[in-house]
Amino acid sequence: MDSALYADLTLQSHEGQRQATLRMDGKADSNEDMSCTSKKNVRCSFSQWLLVGSLLLLLICVALTAAMFPYYLQVGSHLRRAEEEVETLRTNSSHWLDELEMAQEYGLLVQKNLSSVQREYRSLHEVILPRLLYNQTQRRKELTAIERQRQELRLNLSKLQEEYRSLREKNILVPWSSELLMSCTGVGQESAILCPFCPPGWRVFELSCYLLSEDAQNWEESLSWCRMKGGYLAVINDEDEQDFLEGFLNDTAWIGLSDHRREGNWRWVDETPYESTTWFWQPDQPDNDGDEDCVSLSPASKCSDDKCGEKYTSACERRAERLTLNGSVLSN
């Protein structure tokens, strides 16, 4: 745009010079035939000076135009920049207006949220806070009651520990899984429970203990072996005991019954009275076949008389040790 304006001004300057030259040439041509006479010297001189002044004025204008042209260009550049800045400001103003609208909408939203928060605050202050204070008071009371109960429990625990130490000094603690309590029965006095128990290796049944020898011996040797173990050859008092022994035996064994002192006079080794019953003997027994004076018992079978020199295992019996369980106190 600056170059076009410069070209326009230059063209106007050249056109003015050309017209002035034409005028001067025309005047010169018209005055060639004229001669400046003395009468007209003053007029001719004025015209010449007027022409010279016009030329000077034209040159001054051209010079001023040439001198002012850069300033004109600079002013035009400033004007264009100003127009661009105005356009930028106009665009920014549009953006600022949009942002202002958004800010106003956001302000309305914030105001609504503030109103909601204020309502919640009033609800909290008027309803929830008193309820929380009431619950806190109740919790404090409950904690006080719990602390009181805890102190009472701690006191009771101290008393129980003291009683426990005292009982431990005077008694032996027996766990419920102990073998001493495995054979407890309801037989006893009043509410007490009777608990029979046997030495290691012996097996308890009702109120007696039973033991089988590993080696086979004759009846007399079996009698001595059982006495050495602290018992005697087994004495059968009822059918339940006989059924137990028949299941307890692994092989034929001697029991504590014989008539070796007098034939047919059967006697138990512990002097228990003998009464002949059908459940005791095997069929057709005793038959005293070949001087059979001692009695043996076979597994899952009945008793039979046998020669006392035969070698069988020994079925020993002894009285079970007994403890009385009264509540949780075990005593002898």
Side-chain angles (χ1 to χ4, degrees):
M1 185 176 178
D2 294 338
S3 60
L5 181 61
Y6 179 77
D8 189 18
L9 293 175
T10 304
L11 182 61
Q12 291 178 4
S13 176
H14 290 171
E15 184 66 24
Q17 290 179 0
R18 189 178 63 83
Q19 290 179 359
T21 303
L22 288 176
R23 284 194 302 270
M24 290 176 65
D25 290 340
K27 290 180 179 181
D29 292 337
S30 62
N31 293 327
E32 285 179 357
D33 295 333
M34 296 176 60
S35 59
C36 286
T37 59
S38 58
K39 295 179 180 180
K40 298 181 179 179
N41 283 337
V42 176
R43 185 177 180 181
C44 289
S45 177
F46 179 76
S47 298
Q48 290 176 354
W49 280 107
L50 182 62
L51 179 60
V52 171
S54 299
L55 290 175
L56 289 174
L57 181 61
L58 179 62
L59 291 175
I60 291 170
C61 290
V62 170
L64 289 175
T65 301
M68 293 298 292
F69 184 72
Y71 296 102
Y72 176 78
L73 294 179
Q74 187 176 4
V75 168
S77 176
H78 288 324
L79 287 174
R80 285 192 300 275
R81 282 200 298 271
E83 290 176 354
E84 292 175 355
E85 291 178 357
V86 168
E87 185 65 25
T88 302
L89 289 174
R90 199 175 283 135
T91 303
N92 293 338
S93 175
S94 177
H95 292 165
W96 293 337
L97 288 175
D98 294 338
E99 291 180 358
L100 179 60
E101 292 179 359
M102 293 176 61
Q104 289 176 347
E105 294 177 356
Y106 182 73
L108 293 175
L109 180 61
V110 169
Q111 189 173 3
K112 291 180 180 179
N113 293 337
L114 179 60
S115 300
S116 177
V117 170
Q118 288 175 345
R119 287 194 300 270
E120 292 179 357
Y121 173 77
R122 284 194 296 270
S123 174
L124 175 65
H125 184 73
E126 296 173 359
V127 179
I128 299 178
L129 187 59
R131 188 177 302 169
L132 289 175
L133 292 175
Y134 174 77
N135 292 338
Q136 185 178 10
T137 304
Q138 293 298 113
R139 289 290 179 84
R140 192 177 292 111
K141 292 180 180 178
E142 292 176 358
L143 288 175
T144 303
I146 291 174
E147 182 63 26
R148 191 183 303 112
Q149 292 177 358
R150 195 167 116 186
Q151 293 177 357
E152 293 176 357
L153 288 174
R154 190 181 292 114
L155 181 61
N156 293 336
L157 178 61
S158 300
K159 292 180 180 179
L160 289 175
Q161 289 175 340
E162 185 64 29
E163 292 179 4
Y164 175 78
R165 285 192 293 269
S166 176
L167 288 172
R168 244 189 123 160
E169 292 174 356
K170 299 176 182 178
N171 301 276
I172 299 175
L173 297 179
V174 178
W176 287 105
S177 59
S178 173
E179 293 183 358
L180 297 176
L181 305 177
M182 292 294 100
S183 302
C184 294
T185 64
V187 179
Q189 297 179 352
E190 298 179 355
S191 61
I193 298 175
L194 190 62
C195 298
F197 67 95
C198 299
W202 292 72
R203 183 171 175 180
V204 65
F205 175 74
E206 293 184 349
L207 300 179
S208 297
C209 301
Y210 299 87
L211 177 68
L212 291 176
S213 65
E214 297 180 357
D215 299 328
Q217 305 173 93
N218 61 38
W219 191 87
E220 290 291 341
E221 291 172 341
S222 295
L223 183 63
S224 299
W225 188 82
C226 288
R227 287 174 178 171
M228 182 183 65
K229 292 294 183 180
Y232 47 87
L233 281 174
V235 174
I236 300 176
N237 295 290
D238 52 40
E239 190 172 1
D240 291 338
E241 186 177 9
Q242 182 164 335
D243 291 340
F244 164 76
L245 283 171
E246 289 176 4
F248 180 59
L249 298 178
N250 299 319
D251 202 350
T252 301
W254 291 118
I255 63 173
L257 183 64
S258 68
D259 66 346
H260 65 282
R261 294 183 181 178
R262 190 173 66 180
E263 186 65 33
N265 184 20
W266 297 102
R267 297 176 62 90
W268 290 105
V269 293
D270 67 345
E271 301 299 330
T272 297
Y274 168 77
E275 295 180 2
S276 179
T277 56
T278 56
W279 55 263
F280 184 80
W281 296 100
Q282 294 181 15
D284 301 328
Q285 294 291 325
D287 58 0
N288 196 29
D289 184 12
D291 195 19
E292 295 176 338
D293 296 330
C294 297
V295 178
S296 63
L297 178 66
S298 298
S301 183
K302 304 294 183 179
C303 296
S304 63
D305 58 348
D306 221 324
K307 294 180 180 180
C308 295
E310 296 290 338
K311 292 186 180 293
Y312 299 131
T313 57
S314 308
C316 302
E317 180 182 0
R318 64 175 289 173
R319 181 178 180 275
E321 301 294 335
R322 305 177 190 187
L323 295 174
T324 301
L325 181 62
N326 191 353
S328 60
V329 178
L330 191 65
S331 59
N332 53 10

